[in-house]
Amino acid sequence: MSILFLADLAAEELAVWTQALRASLPGDDIVAWTGEPASAPAAEILAGVSVAVVANPPPGRLARLPALRLVQSAWAGVDALLADPALPAVPLARLVDPLLAADMAEAVLGHVLALHRQMPAYRAQQARGHWQPLAQPRMAERRVGVLGMGEMGQASAALLAQVGFDVVGWSRRPRAPLPGVAMASGADGLDHVLGAGQILINLLPLTPQTQGLLGAGAFARMPRGAGLVNAGRGGHVVVPDLIAALDAGQIGHAVLDVFTVEPLPAGDPLWQRADITITPHVAAPTDPHSAARAIAANIARWRAGEAPLGLVDRSTGY
Ligand code: NAP
């Protein structure tokens, strides 16, 4: 059976992905359709495609597959896919790969430790040649809030708690607690997490409900001087509000891994700020090999009549 790999990626990345999908789906014919207009497969192949694996598909392309029955995203976030007005109304699965969640947890732990141990403040002191020990709380005295308790949030919260931080997680619906992690949900829960977390980690999906959530209102409710780590999507943060909160000392330091425009343009003023750490969307990059195995297992589930993992609810947008 033909599986369409619809991807707008650099040539080298495309080759790695195609090879990984072929290795994980040996019984299927993997047909790539890239950003290059000349790469379009023959019309009779497109007419028979029932499964498409997608990585940045050019808008409108999926609508050209009349037999399509499943769209499997190569990424964990599907906000860009859902923005395609021509996206067919077939089941859409986002990537669920435990290795991706483990990578995210590792990145989050690294940033939280750096903020907890006051590395930005010591870096600023070093730049001035200034020797000044700062009061240092223990991990158990540091409350870390995690927004979004899905695959990424749960793995990150669990690792932070395991290491010794005081962790509280926030999700839309109430969830059973993880060992060492307090849980909050709904509007009251958000108030609680914002008010309590001296370090706030954003791992929400970008939806109409979460767009711009991290703006002036949220920053005002956080403890003065709190740290922020945004590894969700750029659209969660209202950048002018963040800059105002940093200038006022309401936010002490922000780690930004994701931006509304990526790559972040060379002249963007965010680059120059000592109170912002910028990483180029690397918190948890998809590993084509482990992702291809997870995708193959998900397609097998779907073919066996089971619901695929990561099935997206179009009404909530994740
Ligand atoms: P997921 O499993 O779908 O989890 C989403 C979580 O967010 C769920 O706990 C959900 O609550 C919660 N949520 C959604 N809308 C909410 C709302 N309005 N209020 C409160 N909670 C809400 O997603 P995931 O796999 O963890 O991925 C999360 C996001 O991480 C992705 O969408 C992507 O943007 C980002 N990401 C970034 C990188 C990177 O390298 N920076 C890599 C991978 C993913 P319920 O549990 O109640 O449904």
Side-chain angles (χ1 to χ4, degrees):
M1 197 180 283
S2 290
I3 291 183
L4 185 67
F5 181 42
L6 191 46
D8 194 359
L9 300 171
E12 203 176 312
E13 211 183 340
L14 184 83
V16 172
W17 264 102
T18 310
Q19 184 268 326
L21 287 169
R22 288 191 175 130
S24 293
L25 290 154
D28 291 286
D29 186 20
I30 307 298
V31 180
W33 189 6
T34 71
E36 291 291 319
S39 71
E44 55 272 27
I45 293 181
L46 293 182
V49 165
S50 58
V51 177
V53 176
V54 298
N56 312 337
R61 287 265 179 98
L62 287 163
R64 293 167 60 184
L65 307 169
L68 188 66
R69 289 173 54 221
L70 175 69
V71 178
Q72 168 68 60
S73 172
W75 316 139
V78 288
D79 43 294
L81 260 179
L82 291 171
D84 179 356
L87 182 68
V90 300
L92 163 64
R94 64 196 169 75
L95 177 67
V96 177
D97 177 353
L99 283 185
L100 190 72
D103 288 347
M104 177 62 84
E106 183 183 304
V108 165
L109 177 62
H111 292 306
V112 168
L113 280 171
L115 293 174
H116 168 64
R117 297 296 307 193
Q118 307 177 83
M119 290 304 153
Y122 285 123
R123 208 176 302 124
Q125 289 191 21
Q126 184 177 343
R128 290 182 285 124
H130 183 59
W131 181 279
Q132 177 62 57
L134 302 172
Q136 179 62 52
R138 299 206 164 80
M139 285 189 285
E141 296 158 351
R142 184 79 81 181
R143 169 73 56 100
V144 182
V146 179
L147 304 183
M149 288 301 284
E151 307 296 326
M152 302 296 139
Q154 286 192 40
S156 302
L159 183 59
L160 291 168
Q162 202 182 317
V163 165
F165 287 102
D166 177 9
V167 185
V168 55
W170 181 65
S171 57
R172 192 169 57 96
R173 299 160 294 186
R175 285 200 171 226
L178 296 169
V181 179
M183 293 289 195
S185 62
D188 291 350
L190 179 60
D191 272 343
H192 170 65
V193 174
L194 290 175
Q198 295 158 296
I199 299 174
L200 187 72
I201 315 300
N202 177 46
L203 289 170
L204 286 165
L206 187 63
T207 70
Q209 283 68 43
T210 64
Q211 172 104 26
L213 183 85
L214 296 171
F219 300 143
R221 283 181 276 166
M222 289 165 66
R224 187 164 177 78
L228 172 70
V229 179
N230 184 25
R233 283 287 184 264
H236 288 128
V237 171
V238 183
V239 172
D241 292 1
L242 174 62
I243 289 173
L246 286 163
D247 286 343
Q250 176 59 17
I251 301 290
H253 193 89
V255 178
L256 304 179
D257 183 58
V258 283
F259 301 86
T260 47
V261 177
E262 294 181 2
L264 184 66
D268 196 295
L270 293 180
W271 285 113
Q272 303 308 324
R273 294 196 67 113
D275 49 11
I276 294 182
T277 298
I278 290 174
T279 51
H281 202 143
V282 290
T286 304
D287 172 348
H289 301 285
S290 68
R293 289 192 292 274
I295 286 170
N298 222 20
I299 292 172
R301 275 177 73 98
W302 174 77
R303 283 175 173 160
E306 292 172 50
L309 297 179
L311 198 59
V312 173
D313 176 348
R314 304 277 180 111
S315 69
T316 58
Y318 69 97

